[in-house]
mmCIF file of all heavy atoms in Angstrom:
data_model
loop_
_atom_site.group_PDB
_atom_site.id
_atom_site.type_symbol
_atom_site.label_atom_id
_atom_site.label_comp_id
_atom_site.label_asym_id
_atom_site.label_seq_id
_atom_site.Cartn_x
_atom_site.Cartn_y
_atom_site.Cartn_z
ATOM 1 N N ALA J 1 -19.896 -10.193 9.083
ATOM 2 C CA ALA J 1 -21.009 -11.070 8.709
ATOM 3 C C ALA J 1 -20.651 -11.798 7.415
ATOM 4 O O ALA J 1 -19.833 -11.316 6.626
ATOM 5 C CB ALA J 1 -22.280 -10.247 8.521
ATOM 6 N N PRO J 2 -21.248 -12.978 7.167
ATOM 7 C CA PRO J 2 -20.984 -13.693 5.914
ATOM 8 C C PRO J 2 -21.304 -12.831 4.697
ATOM 9 O O PRO J 2 -22.294 -12.098 4.679
ATOM 10 C CB PRO J 2 -21.924 -14.908 6.007
ATOM 11 C CG PRO J 2 -22.146 -15.102 7.466
ATOM 12 C CD PRO J 2 -22.141 -13.722 8.068
ATOM 13 N N LEU J 3 -20.473 -12.904 3.679
ATOM 14 C CA LEU J 3 -20.637 -12.126 2.457
ATOM 15 C C LEU J 3 -21.037 -13.048 1.316
ATOM 16 O O LEU J 3 -20.462 -14.129 1.140
ATOM 17 C CB LEU J 3 -19.335 -11.403 2.119
ATOM 18 C CG LEU J 3 -18.907 -10.326 3.127
ATOM 19 C CD1 LEU J 3 -17.478 -9.889 2.866
ATOM 20 C CD2 LEU J 3 -19.838 -9.132 3.072
ATOM 21 N N LEU J 4 -22.013 -12.609 0.536
ATOM 22 C CA LEU J 4 -22.546 -13.447 -0.528
ATOM 23 C C LEU J 4 -22.391 -12.767 -1.874
ATOM 24 O O LEU J 4 -22.921 -11.670 -2.085
ATOM 25 C CB LEU J 4 -24.029 -13.743 -0.284
ATOM 26 C CG LEU J 4 -24.369 -14.443 1.036
ATOM 27 C CD1 LEU J 4 -25.882 -14.572 1.184
ATOM 28 C CD2 LEU J 4 -23.709 -15.811 1.097
ATOM 29 N N ASN J 5 -21.617 -13.377 -2.748
ATOM 30 C CA ASN J 5 -21.528 -13.006 -4.159
ATOM 31 C C ASN J 5 -20.898 -11.643 -4.430
ATOM 32 O O ASN J 5 -20.850 -10.764 -3.576
ATOM 33 C CB ASN J 5 -22.893 -13.087 -4.831
ATOM 34 C CG ASN J 5 -23.286 -14.513 -5.107
ATOM 35 O OD1 ASN J 5 -22.445 -15.337 -5.435
ATOM 36 N ND2 ASN J 5 -24.561 -14.821 -4.949
ATOM 37 N N MET J 6 -20.427 -11.504 -5.640
ATOM 38 C CA MET J 6 -19.739 -10.298 -6.073
ATOM 39 C C MET J 6 -20.676 -9.093 -6.049
ATOM 40 O O MET J 6 -21.849 -9.193 -6.391
ATOM 41 C CB MET J 6 -19.193 -10.499 -7.492
ATOM 42 C CG MET J 6 -18.390 -9.317 -8.013
ATOM 43 S SD MET J 6 -17.683 -9.608 -9.641
ATOM 44 C CE MET J 6 -16.434 -10.819 -9.238
ATOM 45 N N ASP J 7 -20.120 -7.948 -5.632
ATOM 46 C CA ASP J 7 -20.889 -6.708 -5.671
ATOM 47 C C ASP J 7 -21.308 -6.435 -7.117
ATOM 48 O O ASP J 7 -20.480 -6.453 -8.023
ATOM 49 C CB ASP J 7 -20.026 -5.560 -5.157
ATOM 50 C CG ASP J 7 -20.732 -4.226 -5.264
ATOM 51 O OD1 ASP J 7 -21.692 -4.012 -4.521
ATOM 52 O OD2 ASP J 7 -20.327 -3.413 -6.133
ATOM 53 N N PRO J 8 -22.602 -6.177 -7.360
ATOM 54 C CA PRO J 8 -23.066 -6.025 -8.751
ATOM 55 C C PRO J 8 -22.429 -4.861 -9.486
ATOM 56 O O PRO J 8 -22.282 -4.907 -10.712
ATOM 57 C CB PRO J 8 -24.583 -5.834 -8.602
ATOM 58 C CG PRO J 8 -24.807 -5.497 -7.163
ATOM 59 C CD PRO J 8 -23.706 -6.150 -6.394
ATOM 60 N N GLU J 9 -22.029 -3.806 -8.768
ATOM 61 C CA GLU J 9 -21.386 -2.677 -9.449
ATOM 62 C C GLU J 9 -19.999 -3.060 -9.950
ATOM 63 O O GLU J 9 -19.557 -2.562 -10.995
ATOM 64 C CB GLU J 9 -21.301 -1.479 -8.510
ATOM 65 C CG GLU J 9 -22.665 -0.839 -8.247
ATOM 66 C CD GLU J 9 -22.552 0.474 -7.520
ATOM 67 O OE1 GLU J 9 -22.260 0.456 -6.317
ATOM 68 O OE2 GLU J 9 -22.764 1.529 -8.165
ATOM 69 N N ARG J 10 -19.317 -3.919 -9.222
ATOM 70 C CA ARG J 10 -18.010 -4.370 -9.684
ATOM 71 C C ARG J 10 -18.156 -5.279 -10.902
ATOM 72 O O ARG J 10 -17.402 -5.163 -11.871
ATOM 73 C CB ARG J 10 -17.276 -5.089 -8.544
ATOM 74 C CG ARG J 10 -16.862 -4.140 -7.458
ATOM 75 C CD ARG J 10 -16.230 -4.831 -6.268
ATOM 76 N NE ARG J 10 -15.885 -3.823 -5.275
ATOM 77 C CZ ARG J 10 -14.753 -3.144 -5.226
ATOM 78 N NH1 ARG J 10 -13.801 -3.406 -6.113
ATOM 79 N NH2 ARG J 10 -14.535 -2.224 -4.324
ATOM 80 N N GLN J 11 -19.125 -6.181 -10.840
ATOM 81 C CA GLN J 11 -19.367 -7.041 -11.997
ATOM 82 C C GLN J 11 -19.727 -6.199 -13.220
ATOM 83 O O GLN J 11 -19.235 -6.443 -14.323
ATOM 84 C CB GLN J 11 -20.498 -8.030 -11.680
ATOM 85 C CG GLN J 11 -20.815 -8.995 -12.805
ATOM 86 C CD GLN J 11 -19.738 -10.049 -13.023
ATOM 87 O OE1 GLN J 11 -18.857 -10.227 -12.187
ATOM 88 N NE2 GLN J 11 -19.809 -10.755 -14.131
ATOM 89 N N ALA J 12 -20.585 -5.193 -13.022
ATOM 90 C CA ALA J 12 -20.988 -4.326 -14.135
ATOM 91 C C ALA J 12 -19.797 -3.557 -14.691
ATOM 92 O O ALA J 12 -19.707 -3.322 -15.909
ATOM 93 C CB ALA J 12 -22.075 -3.356 -13.671
ATOM 94 N N LEU J 13 -18.876 -3.158 -13.816
ATOM 95 C CA LEU J 13 -17.671 -2.452 -14.283
ATOM 96 C C LEU J 13 -16.837 -3.339 -15.178
ATOM 97 O O LEU J 13 -16.429 -2.928 -16.275
ATOM 98 C CB LEU J 13 -16.837 -1.998 -13.085
ATOM 99 C CG LEU J 13 -15.432 -1.493 -13.423
ATOM 100 C CD1 LEU J 13 -15.484 -0.240 -14.280
ATOM 101 C CD2 LEU J 13 -14.622 -1.247 -12.150
ATOM 102 N N TYR J 14 -16.569 -4.571 -14.744
ATOM 103 C CA TYR J 14 -15.740 -5.469 -15.547
ATOM 104 C C TYR J 14 -16.396 -5.744 -16.900
ATOM 105 O O TYR J 14 -15.725 -5.778 -17.938
ATOM 106 C CB TYR J 14 -15.499 -6.784 -14.806
ATOM 107 C CG TYR J 14 -14.843 -6.636 -13.448
ATOM 108 C CD1 TYR J 14 -15.095 -7.536 -12.426
ATOM 109 C CD2 TYR J 14 -13.968 -5.575 -13.184
ATOM 110 C CE1 TYR J 14 -14.498 -7.399 -11.175
ATOM 111 C CE2 TYR J 14 -13.374 -5.429 -11.943
ATOM 112 C CZ TYR J 14 -13.641 -6.340 -10.945
ATOM 113 O OH TYR J 14 -13.055 -6.202 -9.704
ATOM 114 N N GLU J 15 -17.705 -5.930 -16.870
ATOM 115 C CA GLU J 15 -18.409 -6.203 -18.122
ATOM 116 C C GLU J 15 -18.403 -4.983 -19.041
ATOM 117 O O GLU J 15 -18.303 -5.117 -20.263
ATOM 118 C CB GLU J 15 -19.823 -6.669 -17.813
ATOM 119 C CG GLU J 15 -19.843 -8.060 -17.168
ATOM 120 C CD GLU J 15 -21.180 -8.456 -16.583
ATOM 121 O OE1 GLU J 15 -22.061 -7.575 -16.458
ATOM 122 O OE2 GLU J 15 -21.347 -9.640 -16.230
ATOM 123 N N ALA J 16 -18.499 -3.772 -18.456
ATOM 124 C CA ALA J 16 -18.434 -2.559 -19.273
ATOM 125 C C ALA J 16 -17.058 -2.415 -19.921
ATOM 126 O O ALA J 16 -16.941 -2.025 -21.090
ATOM 127 C CB ALA J 16 -18.740 -1.330 -18.416
ATOM 128 N N CYS J 17 -16.007 -2.746 -19.181
ATOM 129 C CA CYS J 17 -14.652 -2.684 -19.751
ATOM 130 C C CYS J 17 -14.509 -3.653 -20.920
ATOM 131 O O CYS J 17 -13.958 -3.308 -21.967
ATOM 132 C CB CYS J 17 -13.616 -2.995 -18.678
ATOM 133 S SG CYS J 17 -13.413 -1.691 -17.440
ATOM 134 N N GLN J 18 -15.020 -4.865 -20.737
ATOM 135 C CA GLN J 18 -14.965 -5.859 -21.812
ATOM 136 C C GLN J 18 -15.735 -5.381 -23.036
ATOM 137 O O GLN J 18 -15.263 -5.480 -24.167
ATOM 138 C CB GLN J 18 -15.545 -7.182 -21.310
ATOM 139 C CG GLN J 18 -15.587 -8.297 -22.333
ATOM 140 C CD GLN J 18 -14.302 -9.091 -22.375
ATOM 141 O OE1 GLN J 18 -13.594 -9.173 -21.387
ATOM 142 N NE2 GLN J 18 -14.005 -9.687 -23.504
ATOM 143 N N ARG J 19 -16.896 -4.832 -22.792
ATOM 144 C CA ARG J 19 -17.782 -4.415 -23.884
ATOM 145 C C ARG J 19 -17.238 -3.212 -24.645
ATOM 146 O O ARG J 19 -17.342 -3.135 -25.873
ATOM 147 C CB ARG J 19 -19.164 -4.087 -23.288
ATOM 148 C CG ARG J 19 -20.233 -3.767 -24.309
ATOM 149 C CD ARG J 19 -21.577 -3.535 -23.639
ATOM 150 N NE ARG J 19 -21.644 -2.266 -22.924
ATOM 151 C CZ ARG J 19 -21.690 -2.143 -21.609
ATOM 152 N NH1 ARG J 19 -21.654 -3.200 -20.828
ATOM 153 N NH2 ARG J 19 -21.760 -0.950 -21.046
ATOM 154 N N LEU J 20 -16.646 -2.273 -23.907
ATOM 155 C CA LEU J 20 -16.222 -1.014 -24.514
ATOM 156 C C LEU J 20 -14.743 -1.002 -24.896
ATOM 157 O O LEU J 20 -14.247 -0.002 -25.405
ATOM 158 C CB LEU J 20 -16.513 0.141 -23.543
ATOM 159 C CG LEU J 20 -17.996 0.337 -23.204
ATOM 160 C CD1 LEU J 20 -18.179 1.391 -22.114
ATOM 161 C CD2 LEU J 20 -18.791 0.721 -24.443
ATOM 162 N N GLY J 21 -14.057 -2.104 -24.650
ATOM 163 C CA GLY J 21 -12.662 -2.189 -25.065
ATOM 164 C C GLY J 21 -11.706 -1.393 -24.209
ATOM 165 O O GLY J 21 -10.685 -0.900 -24.703
ATOM 166 N N VAL J 22 -12.014 -1.260 -22.914
ATOM 167 C CA VAL J 22 -11.096 -0.601 -21.986
ATOM 168 C C VAL J 22 -10.345 -1.688 -21.228
ATOM 169 O O VAL J 22 -10.941 -2.457 -20.471
ATOM 170 C CB VAL J 22 -11.845 0.318 -21.004
ATOM 171 C CG1 VAL J 22 -10.888 0.884 -19.956
ATOM 172 C CG2 VAL J 22 -12.522 1.454 -21.770
ATOM 173 N N GLY J 23 -9.049 -1.778 -21.448
ATOM 174 C CA GLY J 23 -8.257 -2.813 -20.804
ATOM 175 C C GLY J 23 -8.005 -2.502 -19.334
ATOM 176 O O GLY J 23 -7.765 -1.347 -18.971
ATOM 177 N N ILE J 24 -8.068 -3.519 -18.493
ATOM 178 C CA ILE J 24 -7.819 -3.357 -17.063
ATOM 179 C C ILE J 24 -6.424 -3.844 -16.717
ATOM 180 O O ILE J 24 -6.039 -4.960 -17.078
ATOM 181 C CB ILE J 24 -8.845 -4.145 -16.223
ATOM 182 C CG1 ILE J 24 -10.275 -3.672 -16.519
ATOM 183 C CG2 ILE J 24 -8.551 -3.994 -14.728
ATOM 184 C CD1 ILE J 24 -11.338 -4.505 -15.816
ATOM 185 N N THR J 25 -5.674 -2.989 -16.033
ATOM 186 C CA THR J 25 -4.433 -3.422 -15.395
ATOM 187 C C THR J 25 -4.734 -3.500 -13.904
ATOM 188 O O THR J 25 -5.196 -2.536 -13.302
ATOM 189 C CB THR J 25 -3.265 -2.465 -15.682
ATOM 190 O OG1 THR J 25 -3.586 -1.143 -15.224
ATOM 191 C CG2 THR J 25 -2.967 -2.407 -17.165
ATOM 192 N N VAL J 26 -4.474 -4.641 -13.314
ATOM 193 C CA VAL J 26 -4.934 -4.932 -11.950
ATOM 194 C C VAL J 26 -3.903 -4.518 -10.915
ATOM 195 O O VAL J 26 -2.712 -4.817 -11.049
ATOM 196 C CB VAL J 26 -5.227 -6.443 -11.809
ATOM 197 C CG1 VAL J 26 -5.531 -6.803 -10.348
ATOM 198 C CG2 VAL J 26 -6.396 -6.836 -12.705
ATOM 199 N N MET J 27 -4.378 -3.841 -9.872
ATOM 200 C CA MET J 27 -3.564 -3.611 -8.684
ATOM 201 C C MET J 27 -4.219 -4.324 -7.502
ATOM 202 O O MET J 27 -5.375 -4.724 -7.562
ATOM 203 C CB MET J 27 -3.441 -2.116 -8.384
ATOM 204 C CG MET J 27 -4.763 -1.390 -8.157
ATOM 205 S SD MET J 27 -4.476 0.347 -7.722
ATOM 206 C CE MET J 27 -6.102 1.063 -8.037
ATOM 207 N N LYS J 28 -3.467 -4.498 -6.435
ATOM 208 C CA LYS J 28 -3.959 -5.077 -5.180
ATOM 209 C C LYS J 28 -4.454 -6.516 -5.341
ATOM 210 O O LYS J 28 -5.365 -6.942 -4.622
ATOM 211 C CB LYS J 28 -5.074 -4.210 -4.582
ATOM 212 C CG LYS J 28 -4.730 -2.747 -4.398
ATOM 213 C CD LYS J 28 -3.656 -2.547 -3.361
ATOM 214 C CE LYS J 28 -3.514 -1.121 -2.884
ATOM 215 N NZ LYS J 28 -3.834 -0.027 -3.713
ATOM 216 N N ALA J 29 -3.878 -7.265 -6.253
ATOM 217 C CA ALA J 29 -4.334 -8.648 -6.450
ATOM 218 C C ALA J 29 -4.119 -9.503 -5.200
ATOM 219 O O ALA J 29 -4.865 -10.457 -4.961
ATOM 220 C CB ALA J 29 -3.597 -9.282 -7.635
ATOM 221 N N PHE J 30 -3.112 -9.167 -4.405
ATOM 222 C CA PHE J 30 -2.827 -9.910 -3.171
ATOM 223 C C PHE J 30 -3.346 -9.179 -1.932
ATOM 224 O O PHE J 30 -3.091 -9.619 -0.810
ATOM 225 C CB PHE J 30 -1.323 -10.138 -2.998
ATOM 226 C CG PHE J 30 -0.643 -10.784 -4.171
ATOM 227 C CD1 PHE J 30 0.635 -10.411 -4.527
ATOM 228 C CD2 PHE J 30 -1.273 -11.782 -4.908
ATOM 229 C CE1 PHE J 30 1.282 -11.000 -5.604
ATOM 230 C CE2 PHE J 30 -0.635 -12.376 -5.988
ATOM 231 C CZ PHE J 30 0.644 -11.988 -6.342
ATOM 232 N N GLY J 31 -4.046 -8.067 -2.131
ATOM 233 C CA GLY J 31 -4.514 -7.291 -0.986
ATOM 234 C C GLY J 31 -3.389 -6.832 -0.094
ATOM 235 O O GLY J 31 -3.492 -6.884 1.135
ATOM 236 N N GLY J 32 -2.304 -6.354 -0.710
ATOM 237 C CA GLY J 32 -1.150 -5.937 0.073
ATOM 238 C C GLY J 32 -0.460 -7.085 0.774
ATOM 239 O O GLY J 32 0.317 -6.887 1.714
ATOM 240 N N GLY J 33 -0.725 -8.303 0.319
ATOM 241 C CA GLY J 33 -0.123 -9.490 0.916
ATOM 242 C C GLY J 33 -1.016 -10.174 1.939
ATOM 243 O O GLY J 33 -0.775 -11.331 2.307
ATOM 244 N N ASP J 34 -2.088 -9.491 2.380
ATOM 245 C CA ASP J 34 -2.944 -10.061 3.425
ATOM 246 C C ASP J 34 -3.664 -11.326 2.967
ATOM 247 O O ASP J 34 -3.893 -12.246 3.766
ATOM 248 C CB ASP J 34 -3.972 -9.035 3.886
ATOM 249 C CG ASP J 34 -3.368 -7.964 4.784
ATOM 250 O OD1 ASP J 34 -2.144 -8.023 5.022
ATOM 251 O OD2 ASP J 34 -4.095 -7.068 5.230
ATOM 252 N N LEU J 35 -4.034 -11.387 1.699
ATOM 253 C CA LEU J 35 -4.754 -12.572 1.213
ATOM 254 C C LEU J 35 -3.890 -13.826 1.250
ATOM 255 O O LEU J 35 -4.415 -14.939 1.214
ATOM 256 C CB LEU J 35 -5.249 -12.345 -0.218
ATOM 257 C CG LEU J 35 -6.554 -11.565 -0.363
ATOM 258 C CD1 LEU J 35 -6.832 -11.289 -1.826
ATOM 259 C CD2 LEU J 35 -7.709 -12.311 0.267
ATOM 260 N N LEU J 36 -2.592 -13.644 1.326
ATOM 261 C CA LEU J 36 -1.673 -14.784 1.339
ATOM 262 C C LEU J 36 -1.417 -15.301 2.752
ATOM 263 O O LEU J 36 -0.678 -16.266 2.935
ATOM 264 C CB LEU J 36 -0.347 -14.393 0.689
ATOM 265 C CG LEU J 36 -0.439 -13.725 -0.692
ATOM 266 C CD1 LEU J 36 0.949 -13.407 -1.227
ATOM 267 C CD2 LEU J 36 -1.210 -14.578 -1.673
ATOM 268 N N SER J 37 -2.051 -14.666 3.745
ATOM 269 C CA SER J 37 -1.844 -15.030 5.144
ATOM 270 C C SER J 37 -3.160 -15.471 5.779
ATOM 271 O O SER J 37 -4.142 -14.717 5.756
ATOM 272 C CB SER J 37 -1.272 -13.836 5.923
ATOM 273 O OG SER J 37 -1.359 -14.035 7.319
ATOM 274 N N GLY J 38 -3.183 -16.655 6.362
ATOM 275 C CA GLY J 38 -4.386 -17.132 7.021
ATOM 276 C C GLY J 38 -4.804 -16.269 8.189
ATOM 277 O O GLY J 38 -5.997 -16.113 8.464
ATOM 278 N N SER J 39 -3.852 -15.662 8.887
ATOM 279 C CA SER J 39 -4.182 -14.835 10.044
ATOM 280 C C SER J 39 -4.623 -13.433 9.660
ATOM 281 O O SER J 39 -5.352 -12.779 10.416
ATOM 282 C CB SER J 39 -2.970 -14.748 10.987
ATOM 283 O OG SER J 39 -1.861 -14.147 10.326
ATOM 284 N N LEU J 40 -4.203 -12.947 8.487
ATOM 285 C CA LEU J 40 -4.538 -11.585 8.070
ATOM 286 C C LEU J 40 -5.684 -11.510 7.077
ATOM 287 O O LEU J 40 -6.367 -10.486 6.991
ATOM 288 C CB LEU J 40 -3.307 -10.916 7.443
ATOM 289 C CG LEU J 40 -2.100 -10.712 8.371
ATOM 290 C CD1 LEU J 40 -0.939 -10.120 7.581
ATOM 291 C CD2 LEU J 40 -2.459 -9.817 9.547
ATOM 292 N N SER J 41 -5.936 -12.564 6.328
ATOM 293 C CA SER J 41 -6.955 -12.521 5.283
ATOM 294 C C SER J 41 -8.347 -12.366 5.885
ATOM 295 O O SER J 41 -8.751 -13.149 6.748
ATOM 296 C CB SER J 41 -6.919 -13.800 4.446
ATOM 297 O OG SER J 41 -8.027 -13.825 3.559
ATOM 298 N N PRO J 42 -9.110 -11.370 5.428
ATOM 299 C CA PRO J 42 -10.485 -11.219 5.917
ATOM 300 C C PRO J 42 -11.392 -12.351 5.476
ATOM 301 O O PRO J 42 -12.488 -12.518 6.010
ATOM 302 C CB PRO J 42 -10.924 -9.883 5.325
ATOM 303 C CG PRO J 42 -10.073 -9.691 4.132
ATOM 304 C CD PRO J 42 -8.749 -10.320 4.468
ATOM 305 N N ALA J 43 -10.938 -13.136 4.489
ATOM 306 C CA ALA J 43 -11.727 -14.279 4.047
ATOM 307 C C ALA J 43 -11.656 -15.428 5.042
ATOM 308 O O ALA J 43 -12.422 -16.390 4.941
ATOM 309 C CB ALA J 43 -11.244 -14.753 2.674
#
């Protein structure tokens, strides 16, 4: 089904990290490569 807007718990997590000085190192930025493929990307 169509998805609308960022999950509020994820947004709250990022904002808590910014506020409390916890640095984020990102994993899965490419979704294991699926986001780079039109046939595999869930988007």
Side-chain angles (χ1 to χ4, degrees):
L3 294 168
L4 302 176
N5 284 324
M6 183 177 290
D7 176 70
E9 289 190 286
R10 290 176 181 273
Q11 181 71 13
L13 169 64
Y14 302 150
E15 291 168 348
C17 289
Q18 178 87 27
R19 186 177 73 250
L20 298 173
V22 174
I24 301 175
T25 58
V26 173
M27 59 177 163
K28 307 294 195 331
F30 306 143
D34 285 1
L35 278 174
L36 309 181
S37 166
S39 61
L40 297 177
S41 172

